[in-house]
Amino acid sequence: MAGPRNATDLALFDFDHTITDADSFGRFIRDLATPRQLAMAKWTAGPWLAGYRLGLVSARRLRERVLKLAFRGRGEAEIREYGARHAQEVLPGLLRPEMMQRIAWHRERGDTVVLVSASLDVYLQPWCERHGLELICNRLEARNGVLTGRYRDGDCGPRKARLIRARYDVGAYPQVHAYGDSREDLDMLALAQQRWYRGRQVA
């Protein structure tokens, strides 16, 4: 379990719709989908997406459905190559300048800055390495170099706070800052003294 370095703070950032102004997960899926997958998506994923928008399907269930449709049977190396390209070519156009400034502010202070996201390691890992951030996120499961369409170790979205506590000694930091935008971020925000929800500081 990691503790503070030289009494610096801990800063926790969600990614999609917090650091970005769009859904990087959905964009990644659309960019790598095969023509056959795109043709089938209207019938295989469309009802689930409609249910999510109506509040009938959780974000976790929707991600699991899309994950299986998009990744099962795909080569791991191919998808990681897509992910590296996505991190370099697509993500820069989705970033909120004010949030990148906030990340820079924390890094200049020497804070431990952690991206905590239900999005995927295949593009978040290279992006975090480029920006000097630590990472907790969903990781794709593979067997013999072929993706199974499932997460390795399960979906981290509903377990963000638990995974943070498992890796960091939260109580040892002078202050914890947390930035999020969805219900899945609320437990993470509850760990912090300085909380930002959808761009506004909250008590």
Side-chain angles (χ1 to χ4, degrees):
M1 181 181 294
R5 297 186 294 266
N6 300 322
T8 60
D9 290 352
L10 177 65
L12 308 166
F13 286 83
D14 173 54
F15 192 66
D16 286 343
H17 298 289
T18 298
I19 293 175
T20 72
D21 58 11
D23 178 10
S24 69
F25 178 81
R27 175 69 180 271
F28 183 62
I29 297 295
R30 289 192 297 272
D31 286 351
L32 65 82
T34 65
R36 182 173 180 272
Q37 287 173 326
L38 289 173
M40 293 176 59
K42 181 178 179 180
W43 311 108
T44 55
W48 290 72
L49 181 58
Y52 170 72
R53 289 172 174 167
L54 291 171
L56 303 175
V57 176
S58 69
R60 178 183 63 82
R61 293 294 303 279
L62 179 62
R63 285 194 299 266
E64 288 175 351
R65 178 70 174 176
V66 171
L67 203 74
K68 181 181 291 186
L69 294 171
F71 294 110
R72 186 168 60 179
R74 302 287 293 266
E76 182 182 16
E78 172 200 14
I79 299 304
R80 292 201 176 278
E81 184 178 337
Y82 270 113
R85 189 159 61 245
H86 189 75
Q88 183 173 355
E89 298 177 1
V90 177
L91 292 186
L94 306 181
L95 304 174
R96 297 177 189 262
E98 69 275 16
M99 294 306 296
M100 295 306 295
Q101 291 170 7
R102 192 68 178 176
I103 289 171
W105 179 77
H106 279 293
R107 293 198 64 214
E108 288 168 3
R109 284 162 40 98
D111 294 341
T112 300
V113 185
V114 188
L115 188 66
V116 187
S117 175
S119 287
L120 300 174
D121 64 318
V122 292
Y123 57 87
L124 290 182
Q125 188 70 54
W127 188 83
C128 283
E129 289 172 359
R130 187 169 298 124
H131 292 279
L133 311 183
E134 299 180 21
L135 177 63
I136 295 172
C137 72
N138 278 325
R139 300 181 183 277
L140 295 174
E141 180 185 74
R143 293 179 181 172
N144 300 318
V146 178
L147 298 176
T148 65
R150 294 189 296 269
Y151 293 122
R152 191 175 77 200
D153 303 322
D155 188 348
C156 79
R159 301 182 295 125
K160 288 184 175 183
R162 193 186 320 165
L163 294 171
I164 292 164
R165 286 189 177 279
R167 186 177 298 184
Y168 301 96
D169 185 1
V170 174
Y173 288 87
Q175 284 204 99
V176 178
H177 308 249
Y179 304 80
D181 80 295
S182 72
R183 285 177 294 179
E184 287 189 340
D185 296 321
L186 296 180
D187 287 345
M188 179 177 77
L189 266 64
L191 299 176
Q193 295 83 27
Q194 303 294 327
R195 307 180 183 102
W196 296 79
Y197 188 72
R198 297 181 179 175
R200 295 179 179 274
Q201 191 166 17
V202 296

